[in-house]
Each structure stands twice: as structure tokens, then as C-alpha cells.
Amino acid sequence: MNYQEIHKLESTYNSGGVGRRPVAIVRGKGSRLWDSEGNEYIDCAGAQGWANVGHSHPVVTAAIQAQAETFVAGQESSYNDQRALWMRDMAGVFKNSLGWSECCIHPSNSGTEAIEAALKFARFSTGRPGIVAAMRGFHGRTMGALSVTANKKYRAPFEPLIPGISHVPYNNIEAMDKAIDDNTAAVIVEIVQGEGGVHPGSGAYFQSLRELCSNRGALLIVDEIQTGVGRTGRWLACEHHQLSPDVITLGKSIGGGLPMGVTAWRSEAGRFKPGAHGSTFGGNPLVCAASRAVIEVMAEEKLAERADMLGAWLVEELQALPTKKMREVRGLGLMIGIELRGKVTPILQKLIKRGVWALPAGLNVLRLLPPLVIERSDLERVVEAIGEVLE
Ligand code: PLP
């Protein structure tokens, strides 16, 4: 099908909820994408931040193919070999990265569902109603996740949202100190706010927040849906600050391109009672096989280390660009934000014309989330293209 045909069909039927650029991407391999007309792009968006191991990684593809021929989806109410092995592998990651000796893991089908499970678990285990979230934070679009998301643009049309939620300025421990009380079930934060503009929080902030939550009996939920799976140069971004939260959420890259959300917590926080929470497809054998392959590729190809090394180099290259249109370059690993002195949308369009696919973060931040397998030569082309469009 050509672009006109695809565009006509999708425009006829789409819900209107998602804005699209005038390109139909139909194929991906590694860090490259191709559109319906055969044009090639460097994927500096990691699709939508989910392609940390790259598109169609052969190990992930082989795992999906083999599992598809065996058992795609079972029933929640039965045990399954792939889910068991995946839980063991995932727990190994949490042990290495967070020092959790024992944990409970709840698989679901998306980032927003991982947040729903975290919020429900926090209320369930503490018996308290309140949740404190951060301004500029983004946690998803279902009613619970939207309630902890800060941006009015996403919230306003759907109010009233769930009660008991407050938002305080990010990276401001005094504001958290005032907001967390005996009614607080949990605090939810990102280590680097992604959608909110690529803003990293400080180590001192997270350490103090850890103490506040422990002292007041509130769970600390860290949303690593965007920062996790090596993106920031560590398997989990918490590792930058030796932070061990009570609950962690993963999504995006953890399923290798298949829909998956993960909510995990230290065993000490307890477990749901049977029937308290679940989903038909959460933790199905196909996605668990894909996710096990992702965990294997992350270790085999040392992708977190690669993100650390390439990210540090890329930030320096971008900072050296001779342009007045850039206010600041910031980020962690291969999660990079370029704050512009103007709007980002026209810049994104110009980049597409130069074969580079990137993301916005708010109105004036250009966000780069390339696959961690990307070659340095591709990133050199990206820097060149950004330099040209910011001239
Ligand atoms: N949390 C964070 C930090 C995110 O970046 C996102 C998506 O961008 C979500 C939650 C929601 O994930 P999903 O779009 O898979 O529902």
C-alpha cells in the first residue's frame, strides 16, 4: 500500500486521539525505519521510547517465533513455564539493580496498566487513600494513571479524576515534606521526567524522599517505564542514586515490542488477595518469552553500558553545535533533551525530511531516545542533521 492509501483508510476510521506525522512507517530493523515509499530513517525516538534493543532484534524475533508455535496466550488461572522463567529473570534484575532479595511481580499489558496496578497495590497494602505525585510528571492515560499525571492538557477533558491525589513541584523535598502525611499510601516519581521535558531529579532529592516515605509509612513508587531497561546508562535509573524504592513500574522496552507492563514490589509490602487485580493477557507466554529475550540481549550486548558511553559522547557533541536556537542539552545515558528557544514541532518536521525521527517533550524540548544498539556513525548523522535544522 502507498502512503495515500494508508492515510486515507486510517483517517477515515481513527478515533482522533493521536496526532500523526504525514509518514507511514512500515518496517524497522535495528535503529533504522522505512516508510511506505521506501524512504529510510534513523530512529532517534526508539519508536515511542520502547525499542531499546532495536527493531526486530534476531534473538527477540526467534523467541517470539518459537513461542508463537507453542502457546501464545493461556489463562490467568493456570501456571505457565514461560511466565515462571520470566519472573525468575526479572527478579534477578531487581536483585542486581535494587538489592531486592525477594519481590512480587505483577505483569500487565502497557505502561499505564503497570501504574494502575501500582496505585491499586499502594492503597490495598497500606489501607490509605492518598497519592502524592510530581508536577510535570507523566504516568499514562487510563483514569488512575491520568490522575497522577500532571499536565492539564491531558487531564481537563476527563475530569473528575480519582480523588486523593496531590501534585507538588518536582525535585523539591520541602514540598514533598508538606504533602506526605498519615493518609499517604504512596508517592510516585520518575528519575528523569520524560514527557515533562527530560528533567533529571537529584540524588539528594531521591535519598531524602526515600527517608520521608519510610518514616511516614508511605510506599515510594518509581516509574521507570521510560527510564528503565538500560535507557539512562544503568539497567534501572534508580541505580544512579543507589535508590531502592518499594514499588517499580516498567513498560515500553521490557516486552521487546510486544505490549507489556510490569509492576514489582518488595515482598515485605505484602501481596494482593486473589481476585483483587488481574488481566486476561497480562503475563501471557508470548510476551514473557519476548521479555526474557530482551533481558538476555541487554546482558549479552551490554546495552546499559553502551547507553552510558554513547549518551555522554552525544551530549558533548550536541552542546558543541554552533547555534543560538538551543538553550540547554540535558539528560542521562541515551535519554536526551535539547531545550530550544522556540517551538519543537517545526524542527521535528525538518528532521524527518533529513531522515531522522525524533520526539517532542512538551512544546520546546527535542527528545532523543534512540535504540541502545544504534551505531555511533548514525548518531553522527543525527548531530549533523540537528545542526542543520538549528542553523
Ligand atoms: N509512564 C511513563 C514515565 C511514560 O513515559 C509512559 C509513556 O510514555 C507511561 C507511563 C504510559 O505508558 P503506555 O503508553 O505504555 O501506557
Side-chain angles (χ1 to χ4, degrees), residues 31 33 95 111 118 150 154 174 182 184-185 215 263 324 366 390:
S31 57
L33 299 168
K95 188 170 186 187
Y154 300 134
E174 290 77 28
D182 292 351
T184 307
N215 293 342
T263 311
K324 291 204 167 64
L366 176 65
L390 292 182

Side-chain angles (χ1 to χ4, degrees), residues 36-284:
S36 52
E37 317 307 294
N39 299 309
E40 188 176 309
Y41 303 86
I42 298 174
D43 182 5
C44 244
Q48 195 76 18
W50 70 256
N52 290 12
V53 302
H55 295 273
S56 297
H57 191 291
V59 175
V60 180
T61 304
I64 293 173
Q65 271 171 349
Q67 191 57 39
E69 285 167 17
T70 310
F71 196 37
V72 170
Q75 49 276 80
E76 279 186 277
S77 51
S78 99
Y79 289 92
N80 174 262
D81 57 342
Q82 288 305 314
R83 191 162 56 232
L85 292 168
W86 169 76
M87 285 177 158
R88 179 200 62 188
D89 294 353
M90 205 66 265
V93 169
F94 297 134
K95 188 170 186 187
N96 281 341
S97 299
L98 305 176
W100 288 359
S101 52
E102 282 177 29
C103 62
C104 301
I105 305 177
H106 179 90
S108 54
N109 311 289
S110 64
T112 198
E113 277 182 68
I115 299 292
E116 293 295 329
L119 300 179
K120 283 182 75 175
F121 179 71
R123 284 187 169 176
F124 185 85
S125 80
T126 64
R128 300 172 175 187
I131 311 280
V132 183
M135 287 174 185
R136 279 194 323 230
F138 182 87
H139 302 288
R141 297 168 189 272
T142 51
M143 286 306 217
L146 187 58
S147 302
V148 286
T149 290
N151 193 331
K152 282 208 171 62
K153 182 179 90 177
Y154 300 134
R155 298 164 58 90
F158 306 104
E159 286 173 345
L161 297 172
I162 67 168
I165 316 280
S166 56
H167 286 91
V168 299
Y170 182 67
N171 211 26
N172 178 330
I173 199 66
E174 290 77 28
M176 277 290 180
D177 189 15
K178 282 193 195 129
I180 305 170
D181 61 23
D182 292 351
N183 277 322
T184 307
V187 170
I188 181 165
V189 284
E190 297 156 85
I191 301 292
V192 182
Q193 293 188 311
E195 296 287 322
V198 192
H199 293 282
S202 73
Y205 173 66
F206 293 118
Q207 289 310 332
S208 305
L209 191 53
R210 173 65 281 178
E211 262 177 51
L212 271 182
C213 289
S214 300
N215 293 342
R216 298 190 190 167
L219 298 179
L220 176 58
I221 305 172
V222 172
D223 178 351
E224 292 237 25
I225 287 163
Q226 192 166 142
T227 54
V229 199
R231 167 60 57 201
T232 70
R234 304 284 185 278
W235 220 108
L236 296 172
C238 280
E239 292 172 60
H240 287 284
H241 310 299
Q242 293 80 49
L243 178 67
S244 185
D246 301 298
V247 182
I248 194 144
T249 57
L250 294 175
K252 295 196 187 277
S253 292
I254 194 61
L258 298 189
M260 185 176 221
V262 181
T263 311
W265 56 87
R266 302 160 179 274
S267 299
E268 296 95 297
R271 285 176 203 257
F272 277 128
K273 284 205 173 71
H277 195 52
S279 89
T280 301
F281 286 116
N284 67 69

Side-chain angles (χ1 to χ4, degrees), residues 293-305:
V294 168
I295 295 170
E296 181 190 326
V297 170
M298 285 293 300
E300 283 291 313
E301 301 186 14
K302 297 190 171 30
L303 291 184
E305 291 89 327

Side-chain angles (χ1 to χ4, degrees), residues 297-339:
V297 170
M298 285 293 300
E300 283 291 313
E301 301 186 14
K302 297 190 171 30
L303 291 184
E305 291 89 327
R306 195 178 161 78
D308 202 27
M309 190 246 317
L310 283 176
W313 169 83
L314 182 56
V315 166
E316 274 183 25
E317 293 291 304
L318 291 166
Q319 281 168 339
L321 284 174
T323 168
K324 291 204 167 64
K325 293 191 180 155
M326 226 163 53
R327 203 187 292 273
E328 191 186 24
V329 182
R330 55 178 177 255
L332 209 51
L334 278 176
M335 179 169 185
I336 294 173
I338 305 168
E339 189 170 321

